[in-house]
Amino acid sequence: MSNSELATRVSTDGRVVPGTRRLADAASGRPLLVVAVDPTCRASLSPEGIDVGVEVCVERRLALGGPLIVRLGSARLAIARSLAAGVFVETVEEPRPQC
């Protein structure tokens, strides 16, 4: 599956929603709302609590292509960048205190 195929799943009409980006590319320290999860990644991420409608925050990017450290509520998760590339997020306008 190509990156362009993943991006078209964000909106119902096949276009990328403005302001939406992959979790793997998101800036650290900003609250983000998950708007779509690629089905191939959902099986691994959903049991960890990452699904559509959930607010997350990238805390850290480990070196050499390592995982992202993501805050989800009071929990911190390490997510492989390959999985994070299948999660589409948008910036939350009013940040919550945990980020």
Side-chain angles (χ1 to χ4, degrees):
M1 181 176 308
S2 71
N3 289 342
S4 62
E5 288 175 306
L6 291 174
T8 58
R9 294 180 185 194
V10 176
S11 68
T12 55
D13 62 357
R15 292 181 299 130
V16 177
V17 176
T20 302
R21 63 190 166 281
R22 297 175 194 279
L23 181 60
D25 302 327
S28 299
R30 304 195 86 169
L32 305 163
L33 179 67
V34 177
V35 295
V37 179
D38 184 82
T40 59
C41 300
R42 180 168 270 140
S44 298
L45 296 173
S46 188
E48 301 299 330
I50 296 180
D51 214 339
V52 175
V54 173
E55 191 172 309
V56 298
C57 179
V58 176
E59 285 192 346
R60 231 177 122 195
R61 297 170 184 286
L62 297 180
L64 302 174
L68 302 176
I69 305 299
V70 177
R71 179 164 299 281
L72 175 66
S74 61
R76 290 174 66 202
L77 305 169
I79 300 175
R81 289 188 195 220
S82 59
L83 286 175
V87 178
F88 295 89
V89 295
E90 61 185 24
T91 303
V92 175
E93 296 302 320
E94 296 182 24
R96 296 172 75 182
Q98 73 247 22
C99 269

